[in-house]
Amino acid sequence: RVKSDNSVLNLLLLSLQLDFGLFDEYAGLLNIPFMQDLQHEADTRELQVEIANMIYDFDRKHTENKIMRSHVEGLIFEVSYKFLVNKGFHVKDEMFKIISTLNTDSDYQEYVLLVKIYMSLCSINKSVEVDYYKMKVDGSYNIVIPSNYSKKTSAYLENITSNHSFAVHDGIMTYDGIQVYDLRPHQPEINLYKIKLEPNGDTQSMVKYIEITNAFQAISTNEQYLIFIADNVILVDICEDGNMKVRINKVDAQASAMFFNEAISFIPCFKFTEGDDVIIFTSKNMHFLVDKGGQFCPDYYGMKHELMECIESLEVFSDLNDDPKCKNEKLCNLVTESKVTVYFPDYLLLVTSRQQLINLLDYAVYIRNLGLFILVLFQLKRVSFKLEYRERDPQTRKIVQITGPWKEAILYVIKPSVVKDREHYDDIFNKQFTNLKEHKDLPLREFIEELCDKFKRYQRQVDGEYQIIPREKQKRFLERIITGEECFHFSEVGSGKTKVIMPLLCQIFLSNNTDAHKHLSRGGKKKDTLIILVPEHLLPDAKAQVYRHCLNLNFRDEYKIYDDILYLLHEEFKLGGQKMIFVTSFNQFKKILTFEGVCRKVMPHREKMLVVADEVDDFLDRDKLVFNICSNKANSFDRATVEYFHECSQAAYHGTGHRGKAYESSPNPTYWKELHAKFVAINAEIQDASKSLNKSFGVFNEQTLRHCTTDIAHDIEGYKALIARPFQSVNRAMPGSYYSDVERTIFLTFVILSEDTSKYDELFQNERKFITFEYWKEFLPELDYDELVYGHDRISEVVERHPRMAGGLIRFMYGIILRRMEVRYTSRSVNSVDIIFNFDTIGFTGTPFLDNYPTSDYIRRGRFDDIPPC
């Protein structure tokens, strides 16, 4: 076996083995780590896939020189030809330029060999690309080359195995102990199946049976199938008598056609065996056979186009530069899969996201349920900024696209005055909404009692009792939040602030209760806009609670609930005219206020806005106070400025004091003296255990972003300078800095570089070739110059072997980082305290804090009396 771990040598030997037909016999002698991960040793097809992935990863990480695989392939062909005819390259030849570029970085030695090996494998396998399935098993991706390949199956398997925990035992792929695939053969059979479920019981509806595709069949038993829908697992067993036993997340259930109520009528769903709650699954993998006989004819749609293709919604998204954009999208392009649980005995349609409404609307069209379509459209209208219905073809304006009963249903929702028998339908759908208008004149305490009584209808029943019933202590805390003069309130952890207090507060805001709105005005104007602010990690739960409890209030009332405050960026968006609720995070709200166009809308309207902050202590954390957005430009630091920054940072970090002589040639010596004092203060601050290096700030790279499953490449690219950034609770890099100034970032970067140089190993490898002979002679004389510039040792290894040279290496790396750092050109920042002073704000937290803040009303009235304690 080859003992050397030199990757270039081993790849060279691998290339020779492939070219001379020795790979099958001697592949096991090479010391190449990725070959040990192959499913089958000496399998050239698996090796080709692995090499292709490595080339792709290399191309993704090395974008500065723009050398691609095609360039190297062309070079190899050209070099082979020149060798055979004994000719050299002209210095102005394109290939000579490629060779010069490859020689600038030692990493390209491996890259050239990988491309050469890939070319050999393409010749051996007689295929440029090998069809394979990429499946995540035991936490890492495995390459499986099947005997029967399908592109759709490939995409589905990669998605499902990424989101669910599959394992391999003795070559058998399993999920939760259920064997699904035998991966031991070189080209195993990988199949997905189709099953048909018939509703149980005597209840009849238009849907005769449900067909589910992309099901896994267990190989341990003949008649057992595994289905994944919306992060749920459905297990179907075929019994000996032909009946089917269904379990959803290990709970017994059965396919059913339930009659919900007069508005929804029959819906195909799943009903739990030991209970009356039902589950509605929506998925492209579920197909329903709808009865076309009787009162329903084949052209029941009354049109030639799918209805979801004729409805467009204005969506907000972020582009690759993290800049928000607005775009019209057809609803058919937004459909995914979801699960909605409907609780007995009220069977209210309660959704937890806008996505569920879009999926349910498509589902209602598919099963031809007009009642469900109308009910979902009522709610979707409340959570959408702009819905457009394309009645006619937008290009010709002649072809009618929406007609028949679907047109009538849409008109009933958006323009009821033109619909016949409106009163009859209103009586049916009004029962699906909770009426809060009847309590307009009740005192606040009595209104809260009525509200809490209705609140029970939104909860699951267990043994005849609702799971969540607001307690007396919660009612009094809610009353104190509304009526209290102070901004912020304390309630112990686990008191139901997110699941009970916040939804009730939103319902009170959407009501017309006079006493409640008098207190919510906080001494100012009546509020028509409510902004719910929560930490990033609580945002999904907060959105879900607001959607569940606030979408089915007050039939035909016009109000909006937005889960994205970026809608404010759209030029047609206007505040006022109707009540609005925004649910967003602390940073997103501060970020939106950095846009001048948004400020022009918000500032004149701010006295009609109420901000509610959950976990307000996090909102006021000193490391998270400021959200700063810069219109960045590449800096133009000259060599002297970089030296000044290094001298200042080094003196503050090591406590050697300010050396005025070092800055005598600077045009502004006073600045560097003040900056040194600032760095000393920051250094003293981070010595506090609660502000440790690992908790407060760090460097974002692939290791620190290991919890983030998406956009890792984009995040690394955004933080390629490896400058210091504060950590978030979810360890996720965000555009913009919490730090209010670039100087703090500069010093903390020096701290990390000094204390954890291993984080800069990759950057050092890319930049070491720029160490000049003069710099080496002055700052790194103990090191071998050639080994330093052209070697492969990591900077952390060099520092460990030569600690006296650490200062020179840090000095070199610090200069590289500072020159990469973008600096603020025009800066816009928003502080948490600014929000409290400019908006009427209330908040609550489970963490006691010392000081309360003056309310916006204090400032409005010019008051100077004592602020009430928290």
Side-chain angles (χ1 to χ4, degrees), residues 490-611:
F490 167 74
S491 180
E492 62 272 10
V493 176
S495 59
K497 293 184 290 296
T498 304
K499 294 187 182 298
V500 178
I501 302 300
M502 189 173 64
L504 284 172
L505 193 59
C506 292
Q507 288 187 344
I508 290 173
F509 170 76
L510 292 172
S511 75
N512 61 349
N513 184 266
T514 305
D515 197 15
H517 279 279
K518 175 185 174 183
H519 290 290
L520 290 177
S521 65
R522 310 285 293 171
K525 296 179 180 179
K526 186 177 179 180
K527 309 304 180 193
D528 61 14
T529 304
L530 183 69
I531 300 174
I532 305 294
L533 299 183
V534 295
E536 199 78 35
H537 66 281
L538 291 180
L539 189 56
D541 190 29
K543 290 178 180 179
Q545 297 303 324
V546 174
Y547 272 120
R548 273 179 55 82
H549 296 91
C550 297
L551 281 181
N552 64 343
L553 302 177
N554 303 334
F555 180 58
R556 287 208 180 276
D557 256 19
E558 294 291 333
Y559 62 85
K560 295 287 187 179
I561 298 176
Y562 296 114
D563 61 1
D564 198 333
I565 202 165
L566 294 178
Y567 283 116
L568 284 169
L569 288 169
H570 197 274
E571 57 184 11
E572 296 180 17
F573 193 98
K574 296 180 180 178
L575 292 167
Q578 59 183 328
K579 290 182 179 179
M580 297 180 186
I581 296 179
F582 294 92
V583 186
T584 188
S585 65
F586 299 150
N587 288 323
Q588 198 75 325
F589 185 51
K590 287 185 277 190
K591 178 179 179 179
I592 199 70
L593 293 177
T594 62
F595 291 90
E596 294 178 7
V598 173
C599 288
R600 284 195 293 268
K601 295 178 184 179
V602 169
M603 299 316 285
H605 196 78
R606 57 181 170 165
E607 287 199 25
K608 295 184 178 180
M609 303 172 75
L610 178 64
V611 175

Side-chain angles (χ1 to χ4, degrees), residues 66-133:
K66 296 183 180 179
I67 294 290
M68 304 299 290
R69 186 179 79 187
S70 58
H71 296 131
V72 179
E73 287 178 350
L75 176 63
I76 291 173
F77 281 121
E78 190 70 14
V79 168
S80 302
Y81 171 74
K82 298 291 185 185
F83 174 77
L84 290 174
V85 299
N86 195 23
K87 289 180 65 177
F89 285 116
H90 192 275
V91 291
K92 293 185 178 180
D93 193 290
E94 187 66 29
M95 294 302 166
F96 191 85
K97 295 179 182 178
I98 294 176
I99 293 173
S100 301
T101 304
L102 292 173
N103 285 334
T104 61
D105 193 339
S106 58
D107 284 355
Y108 279 112
Q109 295 177 10
E110 290 186 30
Y111 185 69
V112 170
L113 286 169
L114 288 174
V115 174
K116 172 62 181 69
I117 291 169
Y118 185 78
M119 293 169 65
S120 300
L121 289 168
C122 288
S123 176
I124 293 170
N125 296 325
K126 295 181 173 57
S127 172
V128 177
E129 299 291 343
V130 175
D131 294 327
Y132 65 93
Y133 292 150

Side-chain angles (χ1 to χ4, degrees), residues 187-376:
Q187 290 185 265
E189 275 198 39
I190 306 291
N191 295 312
L192 294 173
Y193 295 85
K194 183 188 299 183
I195 64 172
K196 182 174 73 174
L197 298 176
E198 296 183 358
N200 295 337
D202 300 327
T203 306
Q204 296 294 316
S205 73
M206 297 176 298
V207 179
K208 294 305 179 184
Y209 65 80
I210 305 171
E211 186 178 86
I212 304 178
T213 57
N214 289 336
F216 293 79
Q217 183 178 22
I219 60 176
S220 52
T221 59
N222 290 330
E223 298 292 336
Q224 189 177 59
Y225 297 89
L226 198 61
I227 304 159
F228 297 92
I229 297 179
D231 295 330
N232 293 267
V233 181
I234 304 175
L235 191 63
V236 179
D237 292 289
I238 311 298
C239 304
E240 293 182 359
D241 58 3
N243 291 326
M244 294 185 175
K245 181 182 178 183
V246 180
R247 282 173 285 172
I248 302 174
N249 300 328
K250 298 184 179 182
V251 180
D252 290 340
Q254 61 184 18
S256 179
M258 286 279 297
F259 180 82
F260 281 67
N261 49 56
E262 193 178 3
I264 299 178
S265 69
F266 291 95
I267 292 183
C269 57
F270 290 87
K271 179 178 177 295
F272 290 115
T273 304
E274 297 182 0
D276 294 298
D277 295 342
V278 298
I279 294 176
I280 303 172
F281 283 114
T282 59
S283 172
K284 293 180 180 179
N285 295 323
M286 297 186 71
H287 310 279
F288 306 92
L289 176 67
V290 182
D291 188 358
K292 297 178 181 179
Q295 60 177 318
F296 300 104
C297 58
D299 62 346
Y300 176 76
Y301 284 83
M303 54 191 189
K304 297 178 181 179
H305 300 83
E306 279 289 344
L307 182 57
M308 296 293 283
E309 293 182 358
C310 304
I311 305 176
E312 293 187 357
S313 170
L314 187 74
E315 300 295 313
V316 177
F317 66 97
S318 296
D319 62 15
L320 291 177
N321 296 319
D322 202 61
D323 293 327
K325 304 290 183 182
C326 297
K327 181 183 178 183
N328 273 334
E329 281 283 358
K330 292 180 179 179
L331 287 189
C332 61
N333 297 330
L334 302 176
V335 174
T336 59
E337 58 182 27
S338 59
K339 166 193 171 186
V340 177
T341 305
V342 186
Y343 300 137
F344 171 85
D346 300 294
Y347 290 126
L348 294 176
L349 184 64
L350 306 176
V351 299
T352 57
S353 70
R354 183 170 180 267
Q355 185 61 59
Q356 288 184 351
L357 289 173
I358 294 173
N359 295 341
L360 284 171
L361 197 70
D362 179 66
Y363 172 78
V365 173
Y366 192 17
I367 64 173
R368 300 177 178 175
N369 190 317
L370 275 173
L372 178 61
F373 177 82
I374 290 171
L375 187 59
V376 173

Side-chain angles (χ1 to χ4, degrees), residues 20 31 84 287 365 420 486 494 541 745 763 791:
F20 289 98
N31 189 9
L84 290 174
H287 310 279
V365 173
K420 297 179 181 178
E486 65 272 25
D541 190 29
T745 304
L763 181 63

